[in-house]
């Protein structure tokens, strides 16, 4: 089963942007994740077609199960 962490941001245009982290550490604390998001914004690490990231809008784990047809 594949598990990812999605870090959700709003850019300068107010649009939602998502950064996906594959195989994140288990049981991350929200305060730590928000601190990382704020650091990404402050350091202007990523740009988007809608401008710089301006706001942390959320974070979530996404779990995906794939079953191949035989």
């Amino acid at each position: 089963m594949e598990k990812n962490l999605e870090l959700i941001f709003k850019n300068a245009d107010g649009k939602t942007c998502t950064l996906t982290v594959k195989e994140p550490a288990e049981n991350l604390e929200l305060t730590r994740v928000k601190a990382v998001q704020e650091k990404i914004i402050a350091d202007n690490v990523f740009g988007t077609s809608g401008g710089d990231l301006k706001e942390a809008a959320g974070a979530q784990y996404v779990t995906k199960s794939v079953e191949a047809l035989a």
Side-chain angles (χ1 to χ4, degrees):
M1 189 170 340
E2 182 181 326
K3 186 173 187 177
N4 296 322
L5 174 65
E6 291 185 346
L7 302 176
I8 305 163
F9 299 90
K10 295 275 185 175
N11 65 16
D13 282 349
K15 295 183 179 172
T16 301
C17 302
T18 303
L19 173 66
T20 301
V21 179
K22 292 183 181 249
E23 300 180 27
E26 294 288 328
N27 302 319
L28 293 172
E29 295 179 13
L30 181 58
T31 54
R32 185 171 179 185
V33 172
K34 284 189 174 266
V36 169
Q37 286 180 290
E38 293 301 327
K39 179 80 170 145
I40 289 170
I41 293 167
D43 290 352
N44 201 23
V45 176
F46 300 103
T48 71
S49 60
D52 294 338
L53 300 177
K54 296 294 183 184
E55 175 186 344
Q60 60 193 11
Y61 282 113
V62 176
T63 305
K64 180 179 167 184
S65 178
V66 177
E67 184 177 332
L69 294 174

